[in-house]
Amino acid sequence: MLINIHARNGDIQGASRWMSEMRACKVRADQVTFNTALKAFRRSTDVAGAEAILQDLHVAGFKPNASEYRSMINTCLQSDRLDRAEFWLEEMAQNGSADVSSYSSIIAAYSNVGDVKKVCHWLDQMEAEGLSGTASAYNSFVQAFAKNGDASAAETLLQRSATSQLDITGATYNTLISAWSKEGNADRAEY
């Protein structure tokens, strides 16, 4: 209960302190306790602290579940540690608990920094797992590239979404048209 109160408030030190108290008193934490402690890190940039909680979970004999992996990935993304977010998504996939939400988080992060190669890589990985992105996710990815001035990458993703038969919004098309126009490419804007 105390760990949950600290976790809800994003109080990493408080949640960690009570985890330590439990260990000192020889009280074995269950998976829910570890999951709750990890939630304290969701809004933080303390990747090492979150990874320590996950390591403790492993030492206690538990396998991370999808929620715990997502917490780890979100902590990494909050701290701009895309490399660590990728590591945890790969671990999640190896354990069979990767989901569209986790892939989409990493894809969105790479969309926002304009790395089309990584976006396509993670879309390929997601699809290889038998998962498919949502129309909403593709709309976001396309719009991120278009707003970053990479109309070509935005169009590549738009074409890819069309092959997945997703319903792309008019706003997404308008964003792409605007990006081509800003690049001075009226022919592509009209296409």
Side-chain angles (χ1 to χ4, degrees), residues 66-144:
S67 175
E68 291 152 353
Y69 279 120
R70 277 192 300 272
S71 291
M72 204 53 245
I73 290 167
N74 289 336
T75 300
C76 294
L77 293 175
Q78 285 286 93
S79 65
D80 294 325
R81 294 289 312 276
L82 297 177
D83 59 326
R84 295 306 296 162
E86 286 182 306
F87 170 83
W88 289 109
L89 180 55
E90 288 167 354
E91 287 284 314
M92 188 179 193
Q94 286 176 358
N95 288 320
S97 57
D99 56 15
V100 171
S101 174
S102 300
Y103 278 105
S104 293
S105 295
I106 288 179
I107 294 166
Y110 279 116
S111 295
N112 290 330
V113 298
D115 190 334
V116 71
K117 189 174 181 178
K118 286 286 192 173
V119 167
C120 290
H121 166 77
W122 286 109
L123 283 169
D124 290 342
Q125 292 296 110
M126 181 173 69
E127 290 169 359
E129 290 285 324
L131 303 169
S132 56
T134 63
S136 173
Y138 269 97
N139 283 319
S140 297
F141 307 152
V142 170
Q143 289 179 14

